[in-house]
Amino acid sequence: MELPAAFCRRMERLLGADYARFIESYESPLRRGVRVNTLKADRERFLSLFPLPLVPSPFAADGFYLDAPHKAGGDPLFHAGAYYMQEPSASAAVTVLSPQAGEKILDLCAAPGGKSTQIAAALGGTGLLWSNEYVRARAHILGQNLERCGVRNAVLSSADAETLAAVLFGFFDAVLVDAPCSGEGMFRKEPAALSEWSEENVAHCAARQRDILDAAAQTVRAGGRLVYSTCTFAPEENECTAAWFLATHPDFAPLPIAVLFGEAGFAFDRVTAFDKTVSGVRYDAAACRRILPYHGGEGHFIAAFRRTDAPPQTPAPFAYPKDKNADAAAALFADCFSEELYGVPLTVGDTVRLLPTGLPTLAGLPVLSAGVALGTVCKNRLEPCHAVFAAARAAACRRLLSLKADDARLAAFLHGEELQTDGAAGFTAVAVADIPVGFGKCAGGRLKNRYPKGLRNF
């Protein structure tokens, strides 16, 4: 790989004696990663099912290196949401965020969904996850990944940071800003980042990141956490932006990062030469973490802050209306599942969704979806949606066809074909080794396929 000469000069200036080690790391092949989605399968169960060798990564408890060739799109376990393909060090920011059960968490720049699905797994179906992506097309991909991974308690929106901050002030226990950046840490993974790199773009990204952070800070509650991350090495986008944030937001303090991967952020006298505007401001390298290629990941930076005072106000709660299809929704859910109905039914267009509880007001926000799509209104009945089965647990499915990953019938199902079955008549979950991947409707010894056309293997 031929790196830009100006980039190399910057890195030599930044790394000093470690520069040779940095350049040498690019001679090693890119290491791909797998993260177990514990919403669908626990770690031990997944490891017993996954057909290739995995090596634990230091960046997340459920993260692994995958050094063998693998096409996830052809793997039934991937379709079932049992895992997420994620560059190993990309999971480090959520490890630092440390989501706790019951918390309300905002992932502000969330597409394509690796960090959001990791947060959702940590929440374990409790609390609330708000996943936002400004670019609408990328938000659609984010929504698909949330659905595939069985996330029940998420809101999906497509807004700029300022729009969210204007409504969701002081609402979240924790906020993750995985900011758009110059992408220096993705040169091997995404060649476009290499061709688009320039010092001018570094400066442009740093300015944009500070605008995003300024808005994000407004959404954090008193005592809440704000974690900022990038996939670049540039000090202007990393330590210097962390220093700028502390200098301009006295209601936040550094939050030391007590993890062992990577190394501490660089000392301030090492980075201020790249950005003279922040010289002399308060700064704590222990509240930052750097991951360089020789640490086992492609390149990430993480900084953590805690809000020390209360925001002036918080948003009003969402007023859940009584829905006209609530009874039909409850009946459909009870026909398909033995567990208690989760969420609050609300008809949006021709779809009845199960909204998560604890929502703030949604007025004025470009929300694309919330909760799980339960059913589609068809004349005088509800037909179940794929999403509610993707979010199901096998033990709760009243009718279940569970197949081994190498069963030819499972491949046929993922192609959209009907299956022969002796199961009871009705809507039936189809699972990969007891991990639901979709559903069909059984009648007369046949299962009519309801796997969405856009997801099928052709």
Side-chain angles (χ1 to χ4, degrees):
M1 175 186 296
E2 185 174 352
L3 299 170
F7 168 76
C8 290
R9 288 193 295 270
R10 283 170 54 89
M11 293 305 296
E12 186 172 17
R13 180 182 170 198
L14 177 65
L15 297 178
D18 284 328
Y19 176 69
R21 185 185 178 195
F22 173 78
I23 292 299
E24 184 180 334
S25 68
Y26 280 89
E27 298 176 5
S28 301
L30 172 70
R31 300 192 76 180
R32 296 191 301 165
V34 164
R35 180 178 48 75
V36 182
N37 175 25
T38 54
L39 288 177
K40 302 296 289 283
D42 63 37
R43 176 187 172 112
E44 290 71 24
R45 173 68 170 154
F46 174 78
L47 292 176
S48 73
L49 295 171
F50 195 71
L52 298 172
L54 297 171
V55 177
S57 99
F59 305 111
D62 297 309
F64 296 86
Y65 293 106
L66 172 63
D67 294 322
H70 179 59
K71 293 183 178 180
D75 183 4
L77 285 171
F78 178 80
H79 283 264
Y83 64 95
Y84 193 101
M85 296 293 296
Q86 187 175 32
E87 190 279 310
S89 61
S91 61
V94 175
T95 297
V96 172
L97 187 72
S98 187
Q100 302 298 308
E103 287 191 319
K104 301 185 292 291
I105 297 182
L106 168 63
D107 185 0
L108 186 57
C109 311
K115 294 176 177 64
S116 271
T117 53
Q118 187 180 355
I119 292 168
L123 291 176
T126 67
L128 179 69
L129 168 64
W130 192 298
S131 297
N132 179 73
E133 171 56 45
Y134 175 67
V135 180
R136 185 61 66 96
R138 285 170 55 82
H140 178 67
I141 296 170
L142 168 62
Q144 289 180 327
N145 281 321
L146 291 170
E147 180 178 278
R148 179 178 62 83
C149 290
V151 179
R152 297 179 175 185
N153 57 330
V155 175
L156 173 65
S157 65
S158 181
D160 58 45
E162 291 79 9
T163 297
L164 291 184
V167 177
L168 300 177
F169 33 81
F171 181 73
F172 294 103
D173 298 294
V175 174
L176 174 63
V177 179
D178 184 46
C181 68
S182 57
E184 294 172 352
M186 294 292 107
F187 281 170
R188 289 195 294 182
K189 182 182 177 185
E190 299 177 7
L194 185 62
S195 63
E196 295 170 359
W197 184 88
S198 69
E199 292 187 274
E200 292 76 15
N201 190 41
V202 168
H204 170 75
C205 288
R208 178 171 57 178
Q209 290 153 1
R210 296 176 190 192
D211 288 341
I212 294 172
L213 268 175
D214 189 49
Q218 300 175 51
T219 68
V220 183
R221 68 161 176 84
R225 312 181 303 284
L226 174 61
V227 169
Y228 169 72
S229 66
T230 73
C231 56
T232 193
F233 309 119
E236 301 95 313
E237 303 178 66
N238 294 338
E239 289 94 347
C240 294
T241 289
W244 166 87
F245 180 78
L246 289 171
T248 54
H249 295 79
D251 49 345
F252 281 81
L255 183 60
I257 298 174
V259 293
L260 299 179
F261 53 69
E263 60 185 277
F266 292 159
F268 206 48
D269 58 1
R270 188 174 178 180
V271 299
T272 49
F274 291 84
D275 186 351
K276 300 292 188 182
T277 65
V278 294
S279 60
V281 302
R282 62 192 178 104
Y283 173 75
D284 185 354
C288 304
R289 205 78 187 166
R290 270 189 176 266
I291 300 168
L292 291 135
Y294 47 76
H295 294 134
E298 286 305 287
H300 277 79
F301 171 85
I302 307 164
F305 315 96
R306 186 178 296 282
R307 187 165 194 167
T308 55
D309 71 355
Q313 53 184 328
T314 55
F318 179 72
Y320 293 86
K322 173 65 176 177
D323 190 71
K324 60 183 179 182
N325 292 309
D327 291 341
L332 175 63
F333 191 89
D335 177 64
C336 296
F337 310 106
S338 59
E339 67 178 315
E340 184 178 347
L341 178 70
Y342 58 85
V344 181
L346 180 67
T347 303
V348 181
D350 63 354
T351 302
V352 179
R353 305 192 68 88
L354 298 177
L355 301 189
T357 58
L359 289 175
T361 180
L362 305 180
L365 295 176
V367 171
L368 304 182
S369 65
V372 174
L374 166 63
T376 302
V377 180
C378 300
K379 297 182 179 179
N380 296 320
R381 71 184 192 283
L382 289 182
E383 290 282 325
C385 293
H386 167 76
V388 76
F389 282 92
R393 317 303 187 244
C397 297
R398 293 196 182 278
R399 292 167 292 275
L400 178 72
L401 175 62
S402 185
L403 305 170
K404 293 182 178 180
D406 59 356
D407 193 310
R409 291 174 294 170
L410 184 57
F413 177 79
L414 294 176
H415 277 82
E417 300 173 22
E418 290 191 3
L419 304 180
Q420 286 187 333
T421 178
D422 55 3
F427 297 114
T428 301
V430 177
V432 187
D434 285 340
I435 305 172
V437 65
F439 81 107
K441 188 172 185 179
C442 285
R446 304 286 294 176
L447 183 138
K448 186 174 182 180
N449 199 314
R450 297 292 184 89
Y451 196 61
K453 291 182 179 180
L455 302 180
R456 294 175 183 175
N457 281 341
F458 292 100

